[in-house]
Amino acid sequence: MKPVKWPRNISQKCPLIWDDLASFLRYWEKSRTMKKVLIFSTLIIFVVVSCKKSDQASNESAGNPTGSVKFNVNKDVILQLVNAARTTGCTCGTTVMAPVTPVTWNDQLGKAAYDHSVDMKANTYFSHTALSGATPGQRITAAGYQWKSFGENIAMGYTTEQAVMAGWLNSEGHCKNIMNGGLKEMGVGREANYWTQVFATK
């Protein structure tokens, strides 16, 4: 029988399985030869598969922070991208925009943004004005936010927060909304690849 190659660092990756294996080896020394081969081969498969499943679960958990998802958007990622631009400053078209204070997330603005994305997707249009005639300000008010000023960005076709932010920053008008220091709160909502970003202040 060929020597067994154990997965590297198996005792660290699968400590419970490794303890079971050690107990098994003590028993194995007392077993008959054919029984040894059959049971030992089965255990090898179980150990390797279990370690791979544990590694996969750990990687998926680290790469998909579902607790941060609001209105089909990872709010932590989009906030980080927006505030990185705001606190660093950037050039919107030909206009140099100085650094401004970060925005904070607001669920009412997120709801207004999400509802508009859903409506655009459901009714196959792309506009700041809904087919019903509702404007961004009316949608924000309907979500329960008493605004003094606001700005809205929309986008279509992007598949990630990083991609849609790059698109908005490369468009002068959208970029200026992002860099508007008078707007203190933000919400973003997505339906399929329809995106709406709403900034406002009370």
Side-chain angles (χ1 to χ4, degrees):
M1 188 169 61
K2 294 183 179 181
V4 176
K5 288 187 177 181
W6 297 102
R8 295 177 65 185
N9 299 324
I10 188 170
S11 61
Q12 286 80 24
K13 286 186 173 182
C14 304
L16 294 178
I17 295 172
W18 184 253
D19 290 343
D20 290 341
L21 179 59
S23 298
F24 170 78
L25 287 174
R26 288 192 291 271
Y27 165 77
W28 179 77
E29 292 296 331
K30 302 176 183 178
S31 301
R32 298 178 60 131
T33 302
M34 290 305 294
K35 192 173 182 180
K36 292 178 189 177
V37 174
L38 178 60
I39 298 176
F40 193 63
S41 299
T42 303
L43 185 60
I44 291 169
I45 294 171
F46 173 75
V47 169
V48 173
V49 171
S50 296
C51 283
K52 286 184 178 179
K53 284 184 177 179
S54 296
D55 289 346
Q56 182 180 15
S58 176
N59 291 338
E60 287 176 351
S61 177
N64 184 27
T66 54
S68 298
V69 175
K70 297 280 278 188
F71 307 112
N72 291 335
V73 173
N74 188 312
K75 72 171 188 176
D76 290 344
V77 170
I78 201 76
L79 265 176
Q80 189 276 328
L81 292 168
V82 168
N83 286 331
R86 286 174 68 96
T87 57
T88 303
C90 66
T91 300
C92 298
T94 58
T95 307
V96 176
M97 306 293 292
V100 294
T101 57
V103 292
T104 57
W105 180 271
N106 183 279
D107 277 344
Q108 291 173 321
L109 298 180
K111 180 68 164 56
Y114 175 69
D115 287 349
H116 188 51
S117 293
V118 169
D119 190 54
M120 288 193 292
K121 171 68 167 58
N123 293 291
T124 320
Y125 73 96
F126 185 70
S127 173
H128 290 285
T129 303
L131 297 184
S132 65
T135 64
Q138 290 170 332
R139 290 191 292 271
I140 296 169
T141 299
Y145 189 97
Q146 301 303 310
W147 54 272
K148 290 183 178 178
S149 59
F150 69 84
E152 181 182 80
N153 291 337
I154 58 176
M156 182 174 62
Y158 297 97
T159 58
T160 67
E161 288 82 2
Q162 291 84 351
V164 74
M165 271 298 297
W168 281 329
L169 288 172
N170 284 326
S171 168
E172 184 170 1
H174 298 91
C175 180
K176 286 182 176 179
N177 276 340
I178 292 169
M179 295 301 299
N180 187 336
L183 302 176
K184 306 298 185 182
E185 296 182 288
M186 179 192 76
V188 182
R190 172 188 182 184
E191 178 66 8
N193 289 330
Y194 287 79
W195 300 74
T196 305
Q197 181 181 49
V198 177
F199 297 92
T201 192
K202 294 180 179 179

